[in-house]
Amino acid sequence: MKHRFSLMPIAALAMFAGNASADWSFGGYVESMSLNPRVAAREGVDDTAWALGFNADYFSDNLMSASLGSALVMYDDNREFRQQVEVIGGFDDGDVRTASSDASAILIYADLGPRLTFGVNESAYFSAKAGFSTFFASERSIGSCSDCYSEDIDIDGGMYVKAALGRSFERVSIGFVYSQYLDDDKGVSDGIQFLIATGF
């Protein structure tokens, strides 16, 4: 699987990080991702995937924010395979057993856009961003196996726009994020994310 990674979001984040006054937020999220049904069928996975990830947000005093994040994407695999493997090390060293494959990928992303606060003590927020994501190690394989069969899963992200709405409390904030991908022929159509973060 070939990846076309754009350096533009990273360059934008680097310039953005030069602002004098800013705050950081770090969080974790769970996301339900919708895949293009045609691409999902071709690659042998269901058209819904789940992602579990973390992100870092940088908030500037000029109402802009930038994000970097990564996630483990878990596909619902329709082409699972089994293979005999030999255990190396531990109490069961040398045992032969049958292992089943899993389908997953690593996602990384970067985005940038305005963030507005409102409400009592400006505890609520809304943000709108544009960004880029890409998938790495997108495959069905048997985990922790050094010499097992594997198959690439040709699904990727690309450019997207997203909107977030959330609420900040004393120590944490929670939010809901909707992402719309601009070219779902690569695989991902959209995503809905629940985010919990803490600021510094």
Side-chain angles (χ1 to χ4, degrees):
M1 178 178 177
K2 296 181 179 179
H3 301 279
R4 301 177 188 175
F5 186 74
S6 171
L7 294 178
M8 292 176 57
I10 303 299
L13 289 175
M15 291 186 295
F16 182 73
N19 288 343
S21 176
D23 295 308
W24 285 93
S25 175
F26 300 90
Y29 68 89
V30 60
E31 181 174 8
S32 174
M33 306 176 76
S34 297
L35 307 179
N36 180 316
R38 178 182 56 79
V39 176
R42 183 193 68 201
E43 300 302 316
V45 297
D46 196 41
D47 61 5
T48 299
W50 290 92
L52 185 64
F54 68 92
N55 73 329
D57 286 310
Y58 181 91
F59 308 117
S60 170
D61 58 1
N62 63 4
L63 304 180
M64 294 293 287
S65 67
S67 299
L68 287 172
S70 180
L72 171 65
V73 179
M74 295 160 284
Y75 302 112
D76 187 358
D77 194 12
N78 297 326
R79 296 181 189 165
E80 178 184 308
F81 64 86
R82 296 174 181 270
Q83 184 174 346
Q84 284 194 329
V85 299
E86 180 180 351
V87 178
I88 299 176
F91 294 107
D92 48 1
D93 183 41
D95 286 358
V96 176
R97 62 181 60 173
T98 300
S100 299
S101 66
D102 295 308
S104 62
I106 300 297
L107 164 70
I108 62 170
Y109 71 86
D111 52 48
L112 176 69
R115 182 178 188 269
L116 305 176
T117 57
F118 59 94
V120 178
N121 297 323
E122 296 190 336
S123 59
Y125 69 86
F126 171 80
S127 67
K129 298 180 182 178
F132 180 86
S133 73
T134 191
F135 284 39
F136 291 92
S138 183
E139 62 181 15
R140 60 175 53 84
S141 60
I142 295 175
S144 302
C145 184
S146 61
D147 192 25
C148 286
Y149 176 73
S150 65
E151 296 177 346
D152 287 343
I153 297 177
D154 191 9
I155 288 176
D156 210 343
M159 300 296 297
Y160 63 85
V161 292
K162 74 179 185 182
L165 184 64
R167 171 92 185 260
S168 298
F169 299 92
E170 183 176 353
R171 295 182 179 271
V172 300
S173 66
I174 61 172
F176 292 92
V177 184
Y178 175 74
S179 301
Q180 177 67 58
Y181 282 77
L182 304 183
D183 181 10
D184 71 352
D185 285 340
K186 294 182 177 181
V188 184
S189 297
D190 57 28
I192 299 176
Q193 180 185 122
F194 174 68
L195 171 70
I196 300 178
T198 183
F200 295 93

